[in-house]
């Protein structure tokens, strides 16, 4: 599978609420580190993340990957991501943010997925109170600082 095919299958599986197809892109012991929900390890948990967690409070997902770079072991891509929020305070608003996807690849599968995203616009789109946005962003910052590979960049 080419890089472009992998990324298109990745995005399509999310948009189609197809957790199995999404999880099949990962190695058996693969880990997906979500900027909102944390880590999901193994194909069963990754599939559940798509089918249950993502769609619990959102619908109508759109995900596009741009300008991918890969050496066969690492894959990076800028992305745009949006969905329609079903949270009461969002009143059906379309929420959009962008970020960078970072994937470790092994034998043609994703062994590890991490992302860094500017999520603040999403919270504004959902009409979250400013105090709530500050609390959420503080938690996200703490989680980022806890990642060993990010520590030297945040020091």
């Amino acid at each position: 599978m080419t890089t472009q095919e992998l990324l298109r299958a990745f995005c399509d599986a999310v948009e189609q609420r197809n957790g199995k197809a999404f999880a099949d892109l990962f190695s058996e012991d693969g880990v997906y580190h979500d900027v909102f929900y944390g880590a999901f390890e193994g194909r069963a948990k990754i599939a559940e993340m798509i089918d249950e967690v993502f769609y619990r409070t959102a619908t109508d997902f759109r995900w596009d990957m741009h300008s991918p770079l890969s050496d066969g072991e690492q894959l990076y891509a800028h992305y745009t991501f949006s969905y329609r929020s079903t949270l009461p305070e969002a009143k059906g608003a379309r929420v959009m943010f962008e970020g960078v996807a970072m994937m470790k690849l092994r034998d043609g599968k994703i062994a590890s997925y991490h992302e860094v995203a500017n999520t603040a616009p999403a919270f504004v789109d959902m009409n979250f109170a400013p105090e709530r946005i500050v609390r959420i962003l503080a938690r996200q910052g703490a989680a980022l600082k806890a990642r060993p590979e990010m520590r030297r960049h945040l020091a």
Side-chain angles (χ1 to χ4, degrees):
M1 182 179 298
T2 68
T3 297
Q4 288 291 357
E5 290 169 336
L6 172 67
L7 293 176
R8 189 68 261 155
F10 184 99
C11 295
D12 286 350
V14 173
E15 292 175 1
Q16 296 164 10
R17 194 177 188 172
N18 190 340
K20 181 180 179 342
F22 189 80
D24 286 346
L25 299 171
F26 285 77
S27 60
E28 287 286 339
D29 61 345
V31 182
Y32 184 104
H33 298 270
D34 185 75
V35 70
F36 289 114
Y37 301 113
F40 295 81
E41 187 170 349
R43 287 183 179 155
K45 290 290 185 189
I46 292 169
E48 182 181 314
M49 176 192 69
I50 297 303
D51 293 337
E52 303 301 327
V53 177
F54 274 27
Y55 280 83
R56 183 180 308 139
T57 59
T59 188
D60 191 22
F61 286 86
R62 295 181 191 151
W63 201 340
D64 292 298
M65 298 282 186
H66 315 281
S67 306
L69 295 170
S70 180
D71 64 3
E73 293 181 15
Q74 300 280 337
L75 169 58
Y76 297 89
H78 170 248
Y79 69 77
T80 50
F81 185 75
S82 70
Y83 56 89
R84 191 157 309 282
S85 177
T86 59
L87 291 170
E89 60 265 60
K91 300 180 177 123
R94 175 153 290 280
V95 177
M96 194 285 281
F97 60 93
E98 59 185 335
V100 175
M102 301 167 284
M103 301 177 210
K104 291 183 182 177
L105 306 174
R106 185 174 63 231
D107 300 324
K109 300 284 186 181
I110 302 166
S112 178
Y113 172 93
H114 288 279
E115 61 190 349
V116 176
N118 180 8
T119 58
F123 301 127
V124 172
D125 290 344
M126 290 187 286
N127 298 309
F128 282 12
E131 306 80 37
R132 185 174 181 192
I133 295 172
V134 168
R135 284 193 311 272
I136 293 168
L137 293 175
R139 280 196 311 268
Q140 287 179 347
L144 190 61
K145 286 180 182 178
R147 290 181 27 208
E149 70 274 16
M150 298 302 287
R151 284 192 190 127
R152 71 182 187 94
H153 297 283
L154 299 169

